[in-house]
Amino acid sequence: MMSEQRRLHPAAIIFNFIKAIREALFVIIISFISFKDDYLFYYLLVVAGLVLIILTISVLSWYRYTYRLVDDELQIEYGIIVRKKRYISKNRIQSIDLTASVIHRIFKLVKVQIETAGSGMSAEATLKAVTVGQGEQLRRELKVVQQGEGGEDFTRNQEELDSPSKQISWNRLFVAGSTSGSIGVILALLAFGLSEIEQFLPDQFFNQTFEWVIGLGISIVIVLAIIVLFVLYLLGIAGTMIKYGNFTIQKNKEELFITRGLLEKKQLTIPLKRIQAIGVQESIIRQPLGYVTVFAEVAGGSLDKGEDFSTVLFPIMKREEVDAFLQEFIPTYVSERTKLHPLPKRALKFYLFRSVIPFFIVAALVLYFYPQFIWGPVILLLASLYLGLLRHRAGGFRTEEKLLTIRYRVLSKNTMIIVHKRIQSYEKKQHKLQKSQQLATLNLSIIGKLGVGKHYKLKDLAVNDVDLLADWYSYRKKG
């Protein structure tokens, strides 16, 4: 038990400094654009003074931040002028995650993030830079479950556990990157970035660029566009491989350990008791190839991990491998997910109608502004009708003794497996058109990340089916 007070590694000064500079970067750039012509010298003086102040605060913040373990309690003291103390009992800790960015790995350090049930938007405590050995020691002493001895690489300890483990292959990782659809996200970010930069660049620059592009000729422009799209596609693949490189999931008693990342190595701890639902996602791109992503909805947690609102348990696997994966790691959630009760045929018209609403909006705008491009909305209409058909075909449910499985589609097809006791609320809804067709919509809620509700909706089920599900939820017996 470490009872003496300790400071973080001096590299924490670097992390404090980088964080403060990043937060002030936008103001620095805007100020440079505003004062670069007439007041550049004074601007540089102010920036130099600001950097010196940030560096001084970073050093003092590191020096005044101490931690120690006393009687199964982590005690943290921090604050330059106003001293604050935080006490975290071992019994309140839900998970302890270790992360190593590129800078951490250079100095052989890790970041320790400690979460409790009430962590909220951020972790209960974050030790920005400690040695690998100290990080492992903290995890051992703060967790009831013993997890091996400290060592050179914090991922090695988990590999030595006598427990189930599964690692993604590089071939599968490449498939995950090439089918991730991240090129759309990159294009959206690029368009947003260009729209923001545009206001700071002179009009002459855009006029010259436009004239240069026109002068190239249509064939060269098309070739350049293809090259740009291909480069963005490769960037999407690289981003996925960097994020999920060396992805490994391991189970040790009542916890799952996930290690991933090439540049920033993350190790996440997921207590099984905090899992509220298991999801199987099939994107439009991956579904024809038979690949899925398995994820979990975990109660509590924070956004400090850099994770999405759902935690990926395995980035990509074949559809037929899912049951064996769940049986090995989370047997409670094994269900007959392929044998679902489908939506009634009379619900199809509702799905088709909802899907073509975007068509009418786009068609109206195009007809008003660009009537010569009316073929665009026609293509959108066909795509919308097909999407509505896919959503109707995807919808379904199944109840087992303690499990509810529902399937729905927005763009990707999602199958959610929920244990009965995790369902927080059940609601039945009907509008007049649904009543005339003997249909209804069900809403389910569970506890999601940050402790807020996570909601699932299955539209246009037969009323009898919704009532049967209500009986199952309320433990009511028929007759």
PDB file of all heavy atoms in Angstrom, residues 397-399 404 406 426 442 461 464-474:
ATOM      1  N   PHE A 397     -38.764  -8.796 -33.362  1.00  0.00           N
ATOM      2  CA  PHE A 397     -38.464  -8.957 -31.937  1.00  0.00           C
ATOM      3  C   PHE A 397     -38.554 -10.436 -31.561  1.00  0.00           C
ATOM      4  O   PHE A 397     -39.100 -11.265 -32.309  1.00  0.00           O
ATOM      5  CB  PHE A 397     -39.459  -8.152 -31.081  1.00  0.00           C
ATOM      6  CG  PHE A 397     -40.841  -8.736 -31.059  1.00  0.00           C
ATOM      7  CD1 PHE A 397     -41.239  -9.595 -30.038  1.00  0.00           C
ATOM      8  CD2 PHE A 397     -41.755  -8.453 -32.064  1.00  0.00           C
ATOM      9  CE1 PHE A 397     -42.511 -10.157 -30.011  1.00  0.00           C
ATOM     10  CE2 PHE A 397     -43.029  -9.007 -32.050  1.00  0.00           C
ATOM     11  CZ  PHE A 397     -43.406  -9.857 -31.022  1.00  0.00           C
ATOM     12  N   ARG A 398     -38.030 -10.743 -30.385  1.00  0.00           N
ATOM     13  CA  ARG A 398     -38.133 -12.089 -29.828  1.00  0.00           C
ATOM     14  C   ARG A 398     -37.965 -11.999 -28.320  1.00  0.00           C
ATOM     15  O   ARG A 398     -37.087 -11.291 -27.829  1.00  0.00           O
ATOM     16  CB  ARG A 398     -37.056 -13.010 -30.420  1.00  0.00           C
ATOM     17  CG  ARG A 398     -37.087 -14.433 -29.848  1.00  0.00           C
ATOM     18  CD  ARG A 398     -35.929 -15.267 -30.374  1.00  0.00           C
ATOM     19  NE  ARG A 398     -35.928 -16.594 -29.795  1.00  0.00           N
ATOM     20  CZ  ARG A 398     -36.600 -17.628 -30.268  1.00  0.00           C
ATOM     21  NH1 ARG A 398     -37.353 -17.474 -31.361  1.00  0.00           N
ATOM     22  NH2 ARG A 398     -36.563 -18.804 -29.684  1.00  0.00           N
ATOM     23  N   THR A 399     -38.811 -12.700 -27.592  1.00  0.00           N
ATOM     24  CA  THR A 399     -38.661 -12.789 -26.141  1.00  0.00           C
ATOM     25  C   THR A 399     -38.269 -14.207 -25.762  1.00  0.00           C
ATOM     26  O   THR A 399     -38.782 -15.179 -26.321  1.00  0.00           O
ATOM     27  CB  THR A 399     -39.961 -12.413 -25.415  1.00  0.00           C
ATOM     28  OG1 THR A 399     -41.016 -13.258 -25.870  1.00  0.00           O
ATOM     29  CG2 THR A 399     -40.326 -10.969 -25.663  1.00  0.00           C
ATOM     30  N   LEU A 404     -34.824 -10.022 -24.130  1.00  0.00           N
ATOM     31  CA  LEU A 404     -35.603  -9.429 -25.215  1.00  0.00           C
ATOM     32  C   LEU A 404     -34.635  -9.049 -26.323  1.00  0.00           C
ATOM     33  O   LEU A 404     -33.627  -8.369 -26.079  1.00  0.00           O
ATOM     34  CB  LEU A 404     -36.349  -8.184 -24.733  1.00  0.00           C
ATOM     35  CG  LEU A 404     -37.026  -7.351 -25.834  1.00  0.00           C
ATOM     36  CD1 LEU A 404     -38.118  -8.157 -26.522  1.00  0.00           C
ATOM     37  CD2 LEU A 404     -37.585  -6.051 -25.266  1.00  0.00           C
ATOM     38  N   ILE A 406     -34.544  -7.145 -30.010  1.00  0.00           N
ATOM     39  CA  ILE A 406     -35.255  -6.336 -30.994  1.00  0.00           C
ATOM     40  C   ILE A 406     -34.290  -5.974 -32.119  1.00  0.00           C
ATOM     41  O   ILE A 406     -33.083  -5.851 -31.903  1.00  0.00           O
ATOM     42  CB  ILE A 406     -35.857  -5.056 -30.372  1.00  0.00           C
ATOM     43  CG1 ILE A 406     -34.754  -4.154 -29.817  1.00  0.00           C
ATOM     44  CG2 ILE A 406     -36.885  -5.384 -29.320  1.00  0.00           C
ATOM     45  CD1 ILE A 406     -35.261  -2.786 -29.384  1.00  0.00           C
ATOM     46  N   TYR A 426     -41.092   0.749 -20.231  1.00  0.00           N
ATOM     47  CA  TYR A 426     -41.726   0.194 -21.427  1.00  0.00           C
ATOM     48  C   TYR A 426     -42.944   1.054 -21.730  1.00  0.00           C
ATOM     49  O   TYR A 426     -43.755   1.344 -20.852  1.00  0.00           O
ATOM     50  CB  TYR A 426     -42.136  -1.257 -21.183  1.00  0.00           C
ATOM     51  CG  TYR A 426     -42.820  -1.922 -22.355  1.00  0.00           C
ATOM     52  CD1 TYR A 426     -42.098  -2.701 -23.246  1.00  0.00           C
ATOM     53  CD2 TYR A 426     -44.185  -1.764 -22.581  1.00  0.00           C
ATOM     54  CE1 TYR A 426     -42.716  -3.315 -24.324  1.00  0.00           C
ATOM     55  CE2 TYR A 426     -44.812  -2.364 -23.656  1.00  0.00           C
ATOM     56  CZ  TYR A 426     -44.072  -3.140 -24.526  1.00  0.00           C
ATOM     57  OH  TYR A 426     -44.683  -3.740 -25.605  1.00  0.00           O
ATOM     58  N   LEU A 442     -43.594   0.567 -29.880  1.00  0.00           N
ATOM     59  CA  LEU A 442     -43.097   0.358 -28.516  1.00  0.00           C
ATOM     60  C   LEU A 442     -41.813   1.147 -28.316  1.00  0.00           C
ATOM     61  O   LEU A 442     -40.998   1.286 -29.223  1.00  0.00           O
ATOM     62  CB  LEU A 442     -42.877  -1.119 -28.214  1.00  0.00           C
ATOM     63  CG  LEU A 442     -41.726  -1.894 -28.854  1.00  0.00           C
ATOM     64  CD1 LEU A 442     -40.417  -1.714 -28.072  1.00  0.00           C
ATOM     65  CD2 LEU A 442     -42.053  -3.371 -28.932  1.00  0.00           C
ATOM     66  N   LEU A 461     -45.590  -2.289 -34.907  1.00  0.00           N
ATOM     67  CA  LEU A 461     -45.812  -3.689 -34.545  1.00  0.00           C
ATOM     68  C   LEU A 461     -47.317  -3.951 -34.465  1.00  0.00           C
ATOM     69  O   LEU A 461     -48.111  -3.026 -34.267  1.00  0.00           O
ATOM     70  CB  LEU A 461     -45.185  -3.991 -33.182  1.00  0.00           C
ATOM     71  CG  LEU A 461     -43.674  -4.243 -33.122  1.00  0.00           C
ATOM     72  CD1 LEU A 461     -43.221  -4.203 -31.683  1.00  0.00           C
ATOM     73  CD2 LEU A 461     -43.334  -5.574 -33.744  1.00  0.00           C
ATOM     74  N   ASN A 464     -51.374  -6.724 -30.811  1.00  0.00           N
ATOM     75  CA  ASN A 464     -51.317  -7.929 -29.968  1.00  0.00           C
ATOM     76  C   ASN A 464     -49.890  -8.231 -29.533  1.00  0.00           C
ATOM     77  O   ASN A 464     -49.646  -8.634 -28.391  1.00  0.00           O
ATOM     78  CB  ASN A 464     -51.899  -9.127 -30.714  1.00  0.00           C
ATOM     79  CG  ASN A 464     -53.396  -8.998 -30.929  1.00  0.00           C
ATOM     80  OD1 ASN A 464     -54.063  -8.254 -30.214  1.00  0.00           O
ATOM     81  ND2 ASN A 464     -53.918  -9.722 -31.915  1.00  0.00           N
ATOM     82  N   ASP A 465     -48.922  -8.021 -30.446  1.00  0.00           N
ATOM     83  CA  ASP A 465     -47.524  -8.275 -30.098  1.00  0.00           C
ATOM     84  C   ASP A 465     -47.026  -7.276 -29.053  1.00  0.00           C
ATOM     85  O   ASP A 465     -46.292  -7.641 -28.126  1.00  0.00           O
ATOM     86  CB  ASP A 465     -46.648  -8.201 -31.351  1.00  0.00           C
ATOM     87  CG  ASP A 465     -46.900  -9.354 -32.303  1.00  0.00           C
ATOM     88  OD1 ASP A 465     -47.367 -10.411 -31.838  1.00  0.00           O
ATOM     89  OD2 ASP A 465     -46.632  -9.205 -33.511  1.00  0.00           O
ATOM     90  N   VAL A 466     -47.407  -6.004 -29.208  1.00  0.00           N
ATOM     91  CA  VAL A 466     -46.997  -4.994 -28.225  1.00  0.00           C
ATOM     92  C   VAL A 466     -47.580  -5.318 -26.854  1.00  0.00           C
ATOM     93  O   VAL A 466     -46.914  -5.170 -25.818  1.00  0.00           O
ATOM     94  CB  VAL A 466     -47.428  -3.584 -28.685  1.00  0.00           C
ATOM     95  CG1 VAL A 466     -47.039  -2.535 -27.640  1.00  0.00           C
ATOM     96  CG2 VAL A 466     -46.784  -3.241 -30.023  1.00  0.00           C
ATOM     97  N   ASP A 467     -48.826  -5.791 -26.813  1.00  0.00           N
ATOM     98  CA  ASP A 467     -49.451  -6.158 -25.537  1.00  0.00           C
ATOM     99  C   ASP A 467     -48.782  -7.385 -24.924  1.00  0.00           C
ATOM    100  O   ASP A 467     -48.610  -7.465 -23.700  1.00  0.00           O
ATOM    101  CB  ASP A 467     -50.946  -6.420 -25.747  1.00  0.00           C
ATOM    102  CG  ASP A 467     -51.715  -5.149 -26.097  1.00  0.00           C
ATOM    103  OD1 ASP A 467     -51.217  -4.060 -25.743  1.00  0.00           O
ATOM    104  OD2 ASP A 467     -52.783  -5.258 -26.725  1.00  0.00           O
ATOM    105  N   LEU A 468     -48.405  -8.349 -25.764  1.00  0.00           N
ATOM    106  CA  LEU A 468     -47.692  -9.529 -25.255  1.00  0.00           C
ATOM    107  C   LEU A 468     -46.347  -9.131 -24.661  1.00  0.00           C
ATOM    108  O   LEU A 468     -45.937  -9.663 -23.617  1.00  0.00           O
ATOM    109  CB  LEU A 468     -47.494 -10.548 -26.383  1.00  0.00           C
ATOM    110  CG  LEU A 468     -48.735 -11.342 -26.815  1.00  0.00           C
ATOM    111  CD1 LEU A 468     -48.418 -12.195 -28.034  1.00  0.00           C
ATOM    112  CD2 LEU A 468     -49.235 -12.216 -25.666  1.00  0.00           C
ATOM    113  N   LEU A 469     -45.658  -8.194 -25.305  1.00  0.00           N
ATOM    114  CA  LEU A 469     -44.389  -7.710 -24.765  1.00  0.00           C
ATOM    115  C   LEU A 469     -44.600  -6.974 -23.445  1.00  0.00           C
ATOM    116  O   LEU A 469     -43.777  -7.072 -22.530  1.00  0.00           O
ATOM    117  CB  LEU A 469     -43.713  -6.786 -25.780  1.00  0.00           C
ATOM    118  CG  LEU A 469     -43.091  -7.479 -27.003  1.00  0.00           C
ATOM    119  CD1 LEU A 469     -42.650  -6.459 -28.038  1.00  0.00           C
ATOM    120  CD2 LEU A 469     -41.905  -8.335 -26.582  1.00  0.00           C
ATOM    121  N   ALA A 470     -45.694  -6.243 -23.342  1.00  0.00           N
ATOM    122  CA  ALA A 470     -46.008  -5.566 -22.081  1.00  0.00           C
ATOM    123  C   ALA A 470     -46.246  -6.583 -20.969  1.00  0.00           C
ATOM    124  O   ALA A 470     -45.813  -6.396 -19.824  1.00  0.00           O
ATOM    125  CB  ALA A 470     -47.237  -4.668 -22.259  1.00  0.00           C
ATOM    126  N   ASP A 471     -46.929  -7.687 -21.285  1.00  0.00           N
ATOM    127  CA  ASP A 471     -47.138  -8.752 -20.303  1.00  0.00           C
ATOM    128  C   ASP A 471     -45.810  -9.368 -19.880  1.00  0.00           C
ATOM    129  O   ASP A 471     -45.592  -9.647 -18.690  1.00  0.00           O
ATOM    130  CB  ASP A 471     -48.055  -9.833 -20.884  1.00  0.00           C
ATOM    131  CG  ASP A 471     -49.470  -9.327 -21.109  1.00  0.00           C
ATOM    132  OD1 ASP A 471     -49.849  -8.315 -20.471  1.00  0.00           O
ATOM    133  OD2 ASP A 471     -50.193  -9.928 -21.923  1.00  0.00           O
ATOM    134  N   TRP A 472     -44.931  -9.591 -20.863  1.00  0.00           N
ATOM    135  CA  TRP A 472     -43.604 -10.159 -20.545  1.00  0.00           C
ATOM    136  C   TRP A 472     -42.820  -9.210 -19.647  1.00  0.00           C
ATOM    137  O   TRP A 472     -42.195  -9.630 -18.674  1.00  0.00           O
ATOM    138  CB  TRP A 472     -42.853 -10.419 -21.847  1.00  0.00           C
ATOM    139  CG  TRP A 472     -41.432 -10.860 -21.661  1.00  0.00           C
ATOM    140  CD1 TRP A 472     -40.975 -12.128 -21.446  1.00  0.00           C
ATOM    141  CD2 TRP A 472     -40.272 -10.018 -21.666  1.00  0.00           C
ATOM    142  NE1 TRP A 472     -39.610 -12.130 -21.318  1.00  0.00           N
ATOM    143  CE2 TRP A 472     -39.150 -10.842 -21.446  1.00  0.00           C
ATOM    144  CE3 TRP A 472     -40.064  -8.652 -21.847  1.00  0.00           C
ATOM    145  CZ2 TRP A 472     -37.855 -10.354 -21.422  1.00  0.00           C
ATOM    146  CZ3 TRP A 472     -38.779  -8.155 -21.796  1.00  0.00           C
ATOM    147  CH2 TRP A 472     -37.685  -9.004 -21.581  1.00  0.00           C
ATOM    148  N   TYR A 473     -42.877  -7.920 -19.953  1.00  0.00           N
ATOM    149  CA  TYR A 473     -42.141  -6.922 -19.167  1.00  0.00           C
ATOM    150  C   TYR A 473     -42.672  -6.837 -17.751  1.00  0.00           C
ATOM    151  O   TYR A 473     -41.920  -6.694 -16.790  1.00  0.00           O
ATOM    152  CB  TYR A 473     -42.225  -5.566 -19.848  1.00  0.00           C
ATOM    153  CG  TYR A 473     -41.620  -4.441 -19.046  1.00  0.00           C
ATOM    154  CD1 TYR A 473     -40.248  -4.376 -18.848  1.00  0.00           C
ATOM    155  CD2 TYR A 473     -42.419  -3.447 -18.477  1.00  0.00           C
ATOM    156  CE1 TYR A 473     -39.681  -3.348 -18.102  1.00  0.00           C
ATOM    157  CE2 TYR A 473     -41.873  -2.435 -17.739  1.00  0.00           C
ATOM    158  CZ  TYR A 473     -40.490  -2.377 -17.559  1.00  0.00           C
ATOM    159  OH  TYR A 473     -39.943  -1.354 -16.806  1.00  0.00           O
ATOM    160  N   SER A 474     -43.989  -6.954 -17.599  1.00  0.00           N
ATOM    161  CA  SER A 474     -44.618  -6.804 -16.279  1.00  0.00           C
ATOM    162  C   SER A 474     -44.814  -8.122 -15.544  1.00  0.00           C
ATOM    163  O   SER A 474     -45.456  -8.171 -14.499  1.00  0.00           O
ATOM    164  CB  SER A 474     -45.987  -6.120 -16.442  1.00  0.00           C
ATOM    165  OG  SER A 474     -45.858  -4.881 -17.069  1.00  0.00           O
TER     166      SER A 474
END
